[in-house]
Structure formats: C-alpha cells, structure tokens
Amino acid sequence: MDLVLCHTTADFDALGAAVGLCVLRPGSRIVLTGGCHPTVRDFLALHRDEYPLIERRSVNPQQIRSITIVDASGRDRLGKAAEWLDLPHLNEIAVFDHHLQADLDIPATFTQIEAVGASTTLIVEKLKNQAENSDTPSRLLPSEATVMALGIHVDTGSLTFEGATARDAIALAWLMEQGASLGVIAEYVEPGLSPQLQDLLREALNNLRSETLHGYSVAWVLLSTEAYVPGLSSLASRLLDLTETDALLLGNVYKFSENENNRNIAPESPVSNRLTIIGRSRIEGTNLSELFKPFGGGGHARAASLATRDVDPLLTLNQLADELKAQIPHPPTARELMSSPVRSIRPETSVGEAHRILLRYGHSGLSVVDADDRLAGIISRRDIDIALHHGFSHAPVKGYMTWQLKTIAPDTLLPEIESLMVTYDIGRLPVLENGQLVGIVTRTDVLRELHQQKARDRGSNAELSYCVMPESVEQLLRSRISPELWQLLSIAANIAQNRGWQLYIVGGAVRDLLLATDDTLALTDIDLVVDGKCGSDDSGAGVELASSLQKLYPESRLDVHGQFQTAALLWPKDSAFGSLWVDIATARTEFYPYPAANPEVEASSIRQDLYRRDFTINALAVRLGVPRSGELLDFFCGLLDLEAKQIRVLHPNSFIEDPTRIYRAVRFAVRLGFEIEPQTEGYIRHALASGIYYRIQGENGRAPALETRLKSELKYILQAPYWKVALQMLGDLQALRCIHPSLELDRELWRQLRLLDRCLQGRRKKEEGRRKREEGSSATDSVTDVTDARKKEEGRRKKEGGRREKEEERRKKEEGRREKEEATPNPRFPIPNSPFPIINIPDWQMRLEVLIAYLAPEYRGKVAANLQLPADSIKRLEVLEAGKNQLAENLPKCELPSQLVLLLRNYELPVLIAIALQSPRSARRQIWEYLTRWANVEPPLNGNDLKALGYKPGPGFKRMLDDLLAAKLDGDLGDRAAAISFLAQRYPQT
C-alpha cells in the first residue's frame, strides 16, 4: 500500500498536492492525518467520493510500502500517523513542501522543498512534464484539476500573496487547460477584505434581512457611507458565503457631488444621493442582469450591479428584492433526484454477503430494512471495508450499520437536501413515503443536479467540472424526425406519465441525433426505456407501455420478451413510418456471473440502465415528457467523447464481462470515423492477453458471449462496406483470438481475404452486366413491339392475315423455348446463364468461412458449430481439408478441359473457392479457369434433341450428354451437325 499523508487540519494545498501524487502514482491512497480546514471539510462533504481517500484506522501498517508527505516536513504535523515513519520495511519516504524555513525531522529518502507559492505547484509541474513527454498523454479529470487549482489559489491568495511565483501561475494555467472548474474554485476561495470593508461587513451582518422561499434564502441589506467604497463586490461575495445565502442584494447609498469629478463646477453644486447595488445569486433560473436593466444596470445572470441616483434607496432595494424572489423557480424535489428501486438487505445479512452485493451492483452503500420492509439503517462501503479488515465477514450487518438516520420525503427540496448532506456529512439520504423506502438520494445525485443547473444557466460546457451536463435537445429532436414519429413518441410519453413513469429515448438514436448534419434524420431503430414501477405481471413497465401503444397502432406487430422485461413494436412497411423498429424496455441493471456469460437482468433506474451500456457515446438519453421534456442525460461524459471523436468504455472490466464489446468498439470507431481512446484500447489488450475467455470455456464448457452474440458482431462487420479497415483493426488488437486462440490476421490470411474479395466483386460486376443486358433487351423489345403494332394497325385491313401468321409463329417459338428449358438438366448453380455462378451464400458468411478455414483442420468444425453457423457451412468446413487433398492429387492429372470440368463440378462453389484460396498458384489458376470459362458450357444438344433424333429417354441420356459436353470442351465438336454425327458414331441406333 502506497500512502500520501496530509498534515493535520489539512488545507486545500495539502489535499491538492496529495490528489496530484495519486495521479502520478496510480493506486496510492490519501490519509488525512488529523481533520481538515472547515472549508475543505465542506468541500469533501460533497466531493469525497471523487478522490482515493482512506481513513487512518483502516490502514494496516504492515501493508504500507511507501509514504509521501505533502505540504509538511515535521513529524509533529502528522499526528498519530507519524508512528508509521519508523516502520522498518518501508521502501521510500518522500517529502514535498514549499516551507523553506521549516525544520525537516522526517527520515526522508527523497525531498523536494522549493520556494513556490504552493506545494501543489511542485506536483503539477511533474504532471505537466509527464504529459508533454508521453506518446499517449492523458488528461486530468476535471475534479482532479479543480482541487489542485484550489490548492494553488488558496495558498497564493489567487497569485496576490508575496510568496506567489511565476511557476504557480504557469501551473494554474495548465490546470485550467485540463478543465479546472472556475465555478467550484470561486465557491471555495476566500479573498481578503480591506479594513473599511471589514467594518462594513460587520454592519451588514447586523442589519441583514432575509427570507426563505422554495428552500432558497434571499437576503438584502442597505449600507450608508459618506463616499463611494471600492471593493463592494468582494464584500458581497464574502457576505454571501458567511451567511450561506443563496441570493444577495447589497445596496450602498452615499453622497455625491458633481464637483468631485469635474473641477469646472462650482463648489456650491448640489449634493445628490447615489445608490449602488451589487447582486449575487446561486439560484437556477434567476437573472440579475435582467432584474437591474430597468435601472440602467447589467452584468451576468448570477452577478450584476447597478448605479442610480435620485431614488428612494430603501424602497428601490425592497422592490428589487421582491422581484428577485418572484424569479425563483420551484427547485427539484427528492422524487425527481432519487434513484429507485433501492437495493436493500436484512439486518441479519452477513458483512461478507453485503460486500458481494455491493460488488455485484456497484453501489457505495446499502439500505437495511426489517421484516416489514421499513428502514432500519444504512451501511456504507467504508463500514463494510473496516469490518472485513478486522475479520468480521461472518458478522451480521446490524452491528455495523448506521441506524440513527436522517431521512427525507419525496417532496423535500434540493436546497434542504444539500444542507443536510453538508451539515451532517451524509453521503446518501433515504426517501420515505408512508414509512416505506421508495428511493435514495446520493451525493452524486445532488452534485449532478447542481452542475446541470450551471450548464443550463451558462449555456456552455466550457467551465463545468467533472463532465458535460444535460441540456435540452427537444427542439433538435423535434425538427429532425418526422411529425408522425414525434407524435408516436409524445403519445408514448403521455401514457408513461399517466402511470407515474418517466420515458427516455436512449442509445444509438440519441448519438446519431447529435452527430447528424442533415436537417432530417431517418430513424429506423429506436430504443425507449421506462423508468418506473413494474406492472402487475413479470413483463414490466416496458411491456405494458408497448401493449398500450399497440392498441393505438394496430397495424404494428408486438413482440414480447418477458424474461428481459422488453417488448418491440415493428412497422414493416408503413406509409408513415417506413420500416420502423421501436424497442421498449424497463430500466434495468445487469450482472455477469462470470466473464463472457449472458447477463442476469433486474429492474433498476435509468442511471443504472445507462451504466450497463457499452460506451459513453451510447450511454446518452433524452427525457420524453414532463418534467424537463427534451432534457439530455449524460452521466458519463458522452458528449465530450462525441466532440473528441473517441470510443471510451464505461468501466475497466467491460471487455472482461463481454468480449463482443471489443468488436463493437472497432465497428463504431470505423463507422463513425472515431478513435478508440488509449485507455480503452489498453483495457481491450489486457482482456485479450489475460486468456480469461478460454479459461472460462474450459471451466464452464461454453462462453455464451463467444457464440451467437459474437457471430452477430462478425456479421455486422463483415457485411459492412468498411469491413477491410475494421478487420485490420481487429487484427492489430489481436481480437480475432475471440474466434479461436490461434487465429491471427497475418499476411497469408489477408492475401486470401483480398483474393476472395476480388472473386466476389467479379461475380457482382458480371451479374450487374447480365441484368443490365436483360433489362436493355426487354426495353428494346417493348419499343419494337409498340412500333410494329402501330405499323400493323395502319395496314390492318390489308395485312390481317399476315399479322395472324406472325403471331402464331411467335407463339410457337415461345412454346418451343419453354420446352427446351424444361428439357435441359438443371444447371449446377441456381444463377442461370451466369459466367460466374454462385450458391446463395451471403458475402459476409463467405468471409467468415475463409477466416475459420485458416484454422487447423481439427478446429474448423468446432468453431463453426460454436458460432452456430448453418449446418451446410459446418459441413463444408469439416470436409474442406479432404477436398483440398483430393484436388491436390487429381488436378495435376487434368490435361483436358473436360477432365477439369468432370472433376470440379462435383464440388460446391464455396468449397472450391476456399480450396483455391489455400492452394498453390497452379491449382488456383485451374479452379479460376473452370469457374470463369468452363463451368457454364453446355452440350450442343439437349434432351429434346435426343428424343427428336429417335433416342429413348433413360439413364443413357446423361452419358450421352456428358460425352457431348466433353467433346465440345475439348474442341472436338463444332456445329450441331457435328454433334449429331458424333452421337451416331458413339451411340448407333439399332
């Protein structure tokens, strides 16, 4: 275990430096050795889960490998953790500090103590240097950049203190480039006040008036001074922080004489009252700039000012306060924020079982309910970790859970929720309705909502921390889809709302909507997710909604999959929708019992439903219906990845759980023109190199993800126009090992695939040419027929008899043609008159069979069966080696074309192609010559001709026709007469 120690009463500089070191040294943990500064405490109350913090009591000293101390160089500043410095087995003790005068009494093996404004600057310089010298630089998380920027800001007084240096400024600039949030920094930085402003601050605190509305506190105060006071904006910000007010109007009235600014005005010029008002607001939906505009003021929505004169100061301030209160919207309630249903356990559940449940569902805590399903307590991951650390995995959780709980109701407002979390340092608040647990609100829920508010207010994502937050895309969606489809979505949203559910459009449709450059978007496949309570049956809310829609759209077809709580509505060829597939599912979470398994699915919330998806760009959702219709949900920075054009996985074990996501990553990357994000590529290579898939196949006998699901992904790729690029990327990743451990895309296999492609392209070109000739011939015949008909109509009276004779002759010719076709034996392949016939096998399957055929013979059939290919495909692959050996022996013996045709016509075309691809050039040339030149040569006579010549139908017809064909192929026959003479000599009639 590698530890980073902050000094007692840790400040932002210590915390920022510690977080930076954890980025430099992945896996390190931060220990706050003895509490922290109040501002840091408030910051961590909301942001603790973003950083690798560990409690001192949870550390096993015997597992410590190294210790790094930041922003301190004395043992006395480390509290009881100083005892760890004397452990004999430590590999390293490092110190990073900027206090040059402090005495170093720590037995450090490495020190860096330099004259900069903040210790964090030293760490940032190392991170910056690492990023600039790395082949694959990675960006800091905004949460990491923000806390480091806070450390520099606080310790340098935002670069105003005497000890601030240019190095600190450069470090801050780089952190801003990395996404540090100015909003969060401004919230926690404390600028100093002048003595005059400090006096005014005390006066303001004594005379402040406030009122609470919708959970928000609004305050206003009027200060009177002899003259204008500079720095009132700093005073307003400090007053806002000290009073924890959500909105503030700070007024200052003072005497003003024109001669103060103009010496040409007489000294006895009248003195007037001037009123300056500074406004600050943290409330979503308020706009101080608009509020101050009638008085000539302005600024930003959350920070504005005005200066006016000859008004009643108190009346004006009170009027503005009333108008500000009128702007306050109703804040979100717990019902809108909470996650539901809540994962719960019984008090008797063991700590070990609780840990397993947390691992399975990825939660940071569990609710504990009694036999009546009433809330009894909450146990956090930290509580469970400590119990496990002390060896109490068998103990019931009731001995470790927190039972004195703060709870909220569904209608509790966001400001009250935030206040409870900060005041009591609570990470999650259960939501109770009529005594029953209906949901839970976590720190993450609150943080996300707060950042969403900032996104909506600013109209820009540039300064947001963590990731891009939701914004409305309703107008975009409505303008780019057809009116009929919008009406369908609106009806579905209304049905869901009437049942108390929330409906979302999710996944690829949202991604394509945001990427689309055209004004219209043709959606043929739409995924809808219902977040709500399940219906009375096991099929769930999604099935119930789909059934209701099918009653309103009876022309659609309804397919139900109750096991997975999904249903689908299909319009095959609708006049309004075209071909449309709408999949409707209940929000669910999934768990993979072992790698490459089929997932186990359970009902859950929209957030968990999005978390189970493959990539961030596919984990986007648009809310349909009130409240906030059209709001975009982006919990995992999918918008940033769309903008960066990169494919990023949601969690490190994603490819271990489902290897088909490797193929989807490649497919999306090539199809969209994106890159696979470097860390995601690392996860792919690690999953493939681990050998976990083959081990699971050996232990369980099968890995479901590597069967039909893998075949589906292979089909998507191999039938796409970009299949070559995708296959090369899979080869570079060595992902073909998912098909078989020995399969790699080497030069020989790539040569075979290119030869196959040339073969398939040649066939397609010739088929297209044949069809065009037939269509052209048909069109010419039609024009000729019309022309002839007109001429015949003009001379109908004179040439009636001749026309009838011609019609009769044409009818006889047509009958003769049909009899000839019926008497001719069926061609070897079902494409008639084609110089390059082929069995009806799709191109993607031919390519897949070539991949499988490249394996050793003993693996081919097994792999094909594992992928559940058709039976004829499996059979072809099983007999391929025998066929290749037979042709290798017999092809050299074929000296005449007839010998070649009689040998090769016994093989199916896919088998011949596969053999040709693996054969030497001489054999391959013979097979190509057969396919392109000899395969469709026909005997000069057919069965009807033989009957006309007096031969009796029977088995001998085949021998006769084969002999005629051989003679024609070898050039021994010319015209029809020669063929008849040939028969007379070979098969004389008695």
Side-chain angles (χ1 to χ4, degrees):
M1 180 183 297
D2 300 311
L3 298 182
V4 182
L5 305 186
C6 298
H7 56 71
T8 56
T9 317
D11 56 14
F12 274 116
D13 188 26
L15 180 61
V19 170
L21 276 170
C22 289
V23 177
L24 279 172
R25 304 171 180 179
S28 299
R29 307 296 292 272
I30 301 171
V31 177
L32 303 179
T33 59
C36 50
H37 190 277
T39 314
V40 177
R41 180 195 62 213
D42 293 342
F43 175 87
L44 290 178
L46 287 178
H47 302 266
R48 179 185 299 273
D49 294 337
E50 306 296 331
Y51 310 113
L53 294 164
I54 185 174
E55 294 187 3
R56 181 174 55 82
R57 59 177 177 168
S58 298
V59 175
N60 183 345
Q62 299 306 315
Q63 295 180 351
I64 302 174
R65 292 182 301 184
S66 70
I67 294 177
T68 303
I69 298 98
V70 292
D71 201 35
S73 53
R75 297 174 64 102
D76 58 340
R77 301 202 65 197
L78 300 179
K80 292 185 178 180
E83 300 172 357
W84 298 340
L85 299 174
D86 300 323
L87 294 172
H89 61 273
L90 294 181
N91 296 330
E92 181 186 44
I93 299 177
V95 174
F96 292 87
D97 196 12
H98 69 122
H99 301 100
L100 299 182
Q101 296 78 17
D103 294 329
L104 177 64
D105 60 355
I106 293 174
T109 58
F110 173 84
T111 60
Q112 185 175 356
I113 304 174
E114 298 180 16
V116 290
S119 297
T120 304
T121 298
L122 303 176
I123 310 303
V124 173
E125 289 175 339
K126 291 182 177 294
L127 289 168
K128 182 172 179 290
N129 182 65
Q130 182 185 73
E132 291 172 349
N133 294 296
S134 174
D135 294 333
T136 57
S138 59
R139 290 177 60 88
L140 295 177
L141 294 176
S143 58
E144 296 165 345
T146 298
V147 73
M148 283 186 267
L150 268 172
I152 299 176
H153 267 287
V154 170
D155 256 36
T156 65
S158 296
L159 303 178
T160 63
F161 292 169
E162 184 177 354
T165 68
R167 293 169 64 183
D168 301 297
I170 294 171
L172 267 180
W174 187 75
L175 291 172
M176 290 181 66
E177 292 176 354
Q178 295 294 306
S181 169
L182 294 182
V184 175
I185 293 170
E187 185 176 354
Y188 290 98
V189 168
E190 300 177 359
L193 296 178
S194 66
Q196 184 182 16
L197 290 177
Q198 292 179 24
D199 293 337
L200 290 176
L201 176 61
R202 285 189 288 271
E203 181 182 346
L205 290 172
N206 291 331
N207 297 286
L208 191 70
R209 297 179 59 190
S210 65
E211 183 177 333
T212 300
L213 182 68
H214 298 324
Y216 295 108
S217 60
V218 179
W220 61 99
V221 65
L222 182 65
L223 302 175
S224 179
T225 59
E226 292 296 324
Y228 171 74
V229 178
L232 284 177
S233 59
S234 297
L235 175 62
S237 298
R238 178 62 62 87
L239 188 60
L240 193 72
D241 292 337
L242 289 176
T243 59
E244 297 185 349
T245 302
D246 298 301
L248 171 70
L249 298 179
L250 172 63
N252 174 220
V253 59
Y254 57 93
K255 300 295 183 181
F256 181 84
S257 175
E258 295 293 340
N259 65 1
E260 292 182 17
N261 292 333
N262 192 337
R263 295 181 179 180
N264 296 324
I265 297 179
E268 62 273 9
S269 297
V271 177
S272 63
N273 285 336
R274 283 294 182 96
L275 175 64
T276 298
I277 298 179
I278 306 294
R280 295 289 185 267
S281 176
R282 298 169 176 165
I283 306 174
E284 173 194 3
T286 57
N287 191 322
L288 295 175
S289 180
E290 290 296 323
L291 182 66
F292 290 170
K293 189 176 293 184
F295 294 90
H300 302 283
R302 298 295 184 88
S305 64
L306 67 85
T308 186
R309 64 180 179 178
D310 299 328
V311 296
D312 186 322
L314 187 58
L315 180 63
T316 302
L317 183 63
N318 289 336
Q319 176 186 341
L320 288 171
D322 290 339
E323 293 177 4
L324 175 59
K325 288 182 284 186
Q327 286 187 351
I328 299 175
H330 196 287
T333 63
R335 189 182 299 278
E336 298 171 41
L337 299 174
M338 69 185 188
S339 299
S340 179
V342 182
R343 196 72 53 191
S344 60
I345 56 176
R346 299 295 186 193
E348 296 77 19
T349 305
S350 70
V351 168
E353 176 64 12
H355 182 264
R356 189 192 65 81
I357 295 173
L358 285 179
L359 177 65
R360 172 169 181 151
Y361 296 105
H363 295 336
S364 59
L366 291 170
S367 298
V368 183
V369 298
D370 59 20
D372 297 325
D373 288 334
R374 294 186 176 273
L375 185 65
I378 282 183
I379 187 164
S380 69
R381 181 181 294 275
R382 278 189 291 172
D383 300 328
I384 291 175
D385 286 344
I386 291 173
L388 292 174
H389 173 73
H390 292 295
F392 290 101
S393 61
H394 62 284
V397 297
K398 63 183 179 182
Y400 294 88
M401 70 183 186
T402 301
W403 56 272
Q404 289 183 325
L405 302 174
K406 297 292 181 182
T407 63
I408 54 178
D411 57 355
T412 303
L413 301 177
L414 173 61
E416 183 179 350
I417 295 172
E418 183 182 4
S419 176
L420 285 170
M421 286 186 170
V422 173
T423 302
Y424 298 99
D425 191 18
I426 300 173
R428 56 194 63 80
L429 286 169
V431 184
L432 301 184
E433 186 173 30
N434 299 323
Q436 296 295 313
L437 182 64
V438 296
I440 194 161
V441 177
T442 67
R443 278 196 190 99
T444 302
D445 299 323
V446 173
L447 281 172
R448 185 172 289 112
E449 180 61 31
L450 293 175
H451 289 298
Q452 288 173 7
Q453 293 176 3
K454 292 179 182 178
R456 289 189 287 267
D457 291 345
R458 297 178 183 180
S460 168
N461 302 315
E463 296 183 354
L464 290 180
S465 63
Y466 306 104
C467 62
V468 179
M469 287 297 134
E471 53 191 37
S472 178
V473 294
E474 181 175 5
Q475 293 303 320
L476 181 65
L477 176 63
R478 192 168 187 171
S479 65
R480 288 188 172 175
I481 64 175
S482 65
E484 294 82 5
L485 182 54
W486 175 255
Q487 183 180 20
L488 170 66
L489 296 177
S490 300
I491 291 173
N494 290 333
I495 294 174
Q497 184 179 347
N498 292 336
R499 287 166 168 77
W501 306 330
Q502 186 63 61
L503 185 65
Y504 300 87
I505 180 172
V506 302
V510 181
R511 178 199 67 229
D512 294 343
L513 171 70
L514 297 173
L515 288 175
T517 56
D518 298 333
D519 293 335
T520 58
L521 178 65
L523 293 177
T524 58
D525 189 355
I526 297 176
D527 291 333
L528 299 178
V529 170
V530 185
D531 189 357
K533 297 179 180 179
C534 293
S536 56
D537 58 12
D538 293 334
S539 54
V543 175
E544 188 174 338
L545 175 59
S547 300
S548 299
L549 281 174
Q550 204 273 335
K551 293 176 182 177
L552 299 176
Y553 293 89
E555 69 277 11
S556 64
R557 190 184 81 213
L558 175 65
D559 293 334
V560 176
H561 307 282
Q563 177 185 359
F564 299 105
Q565 301 176 327
T566 66
L569 290 174
L570 177 63
W571 286 264
K573 293 181 180 179
D574 188 80
S575 58
F577 299 126
S579 294
L580 176 65
W581 181 285
V582 179
D583 191 87
I584 307 177
T586 306
R588 58 206 175 176
T589 186
E590 61 186 24
F591 177 75
Y592 291 83
Y594 56 89
N598 286 325
E600 297 175 1
V601 176
E602 298 179 13
S604 187
S605 64
I606 182 63
R607 188 172 298 113
Q608 289 292 320
D609 190 276
L610 295 176
Y611 183 69
R612 71 182 180 84
R613 297 176 184 270
D614 48 11
F615 309 110
T616 59
I617 62 171
N618 295 331
L620 299 165
V622 174
R623 190 191 301 263
L624 300 175
V626 295
R628 305 182 200 168
S629 178
E631 183 180 62
L632 178 67
L633 272 65
D634 178 17
F635 299 129
F636 312 106
C637 312
L639 282 178
L640 282 177
D641 290 328
L642 283 177
E643 183 180 357
K645 295 186 176 182
Q646 66 179 10
I647 306 297
R648 183 166 59 86
V649 78
L650 268 69
H651 58 89
N653 290 316
S654 182
F655 301 114
I656 295 289
E657 293 178 340
D658 186 356
T660 62
R661 288 174 177 163
I662 299 173
Y663 285 71
R664 287 201 292 275
V666 169
R667 176 159 58 91
F668 285 124
V670 177
R671 174 187 155 196
L672 301 175
F674 285 17
E675 297 289 335
I676 297 178
E677 181 252 350
Q679 191 171 45
T680 297
E681 181 179 337
Y683 293 147
I684 291 175
R685 294 188 183 278
H686 169 72
L688 291 168
S690 68
I692 184 65
Y693 309 135
Y694 327 121
R695 189 164 68 249
I696 290 298
Q697 283 180 314
E699 294 173 356
N700 298 342
R702 58 181 298 233
L706 300 179
E707 298 172 359
T708 54
R709 284 158 54 194
L710 178 58
K711 183 186 74 173
S712 296
E713 288 302 322
L714 285 165
K715 177 181 177 181
Y716 284 133
I717 289 175
L718 294 176
Q719 72 184 2
Y722 50 76
W723 71 269
K724 290 182 181 178
V725 180
L727 201 60
Q728 285 180 322
M729 186 179 293
L730 288 170
D732 177 67
L733 293 170
Q734 297 184 320
L736 295 182
R737 294 179 179 179
C738 290
I739 300 175
H740 190 270
S742 65
L743 185 59
E744 294 187 8
L745 187 63
D746 57 19
R747 293 181 63 182
E748 173 58 24
L749 177 55
W750 185 242
R751 183 191 67 80
Q752 294 183 19
L753 287 166
R754 286 190 291 109
L755 284 175
L756 173 67
D757 194 48
R758 285 166 53 190
C759 170
L760 297 177
Q761 286 179 358
R763 177 185 65 86
R764 281 192 294 270
K765 288 179 180 179
K766 291 183 180 180
E767 282 301 310
E768 289 172 2
R770 181 184 63 82
R771 283 195 295 268
K772 288 180 179 179
R773 287 194 300 272
E774 290 179 351
E775 291 170 359
S777 175
S778 176
T780 302
D781 289 345
S782 298
V783 172
T784 302
D785 290 345
V786 171
T787 304
D788 290 345
R790 286 177 178 175
K791 291 180 179 180
K792 290 172 184 176
E793 183 61 26
E794 291 174 356
R796 182 178 59 83
R797 294 177 182 178
K798 296 180 180 181
K799 299 180 181 179
E800 181 69 24
R803 186 186 67 78
R804 288 179 180 176
E805 291 176 1
K806 288 182 179 180
E807 287 295 323
E808 181 66 20
E809 183 180 353
R810 223 163 90 184
R811 185 184 63 79
K812 289 181 179 179
K813 286 183 178 180
E814 179 66 19
E815 290 178 354
R817 184 183 67 78
R818 291 177 180 174
E819 289 177 358
K820 182 178 179 180
E821 286 184 356
E822 292 171 357
T824 302
N826 288 332
R828 191 70 188 159
F829 304 101
I831 301 178
N833 304 319
S834 170
F836 200 156
I838 191 168
I839 290 178
N840 189 23
I841 294 176
D843 290 357
W844 72 266
Q845 187 175 325
M846 288 287 292
R847 295 182 181 115
L848 180 55
E849 289 188 19
V850 170
L851 289 174
I852 299 174
Y854 196 62
L855 296 170
E858 62 267 24
Y859 299 134
R860 296 168 184 167
K862 295 178 182 178
V863 170
N866 186 64
L867 293 173
Q868 299 186 18
L869 292 182
D872 60 331
S873 177
I874 298 173
K875 184 65 175 177
R876 276 194 299 273
L877 290 164
E878 288 176 338
V879 303
L880 175 62
E881 192 67 15
K884 185 173 72 171
N885 293 335
Q886 290 173 358
L887 290 187
E889 179 182 354
N890 294 319
L891 277 176
K893 302 176 183 178
C894 296
E895 299 178 355
L896 298 174
S898 60
Q899 295 172 326
L900 185 66
V901 170
L902 292 176
L903 173 64
L904 296 183
R905 71 179 183 178
N906 296 313
Y907 294 87
E908 290 183 347
L909 181 60
V911 175
L912 279 181
I913 293 176
I915 292 174
L917 295 176
Q918 296 188 2
S919 298
R921 178 171 294 183
S922 58
R924 188 164 64 248
R925 185 182 295 113
Q926 286 180 289
I927 295 174
W928 290 153
E929 185 178 14
Y930 162 72
L931 293 173
T932 57
R933 184 176 179 183
W934 307 119
N936 287 320
V937 174
E938 297 180 355
L941 301 177
N942 58 35
N944 287 331
D945 296 327
L946 296 183
K947 287 191 291 184
L949 292 172
Y951 291 100
K952 294 182 179 180
F957 267 32
K958 183 179 185 304
R959 292 191 301 272
M960 297 167 70
L961 292 173
D962 282 346
D963 287 346
L964 285 168
L965 175 61
K968 183 177 181 179
L969 288 169
D970 296 337
D972 296 335
L973 292 181
D975 55 11
R976 180 182 176 89
I980 294 173
S981 175
F982 174 85
L983 282 177
Q985 294 176 7
R986 290 288 186 92
Y987 299 94
Q989 299 187 53
T990 57

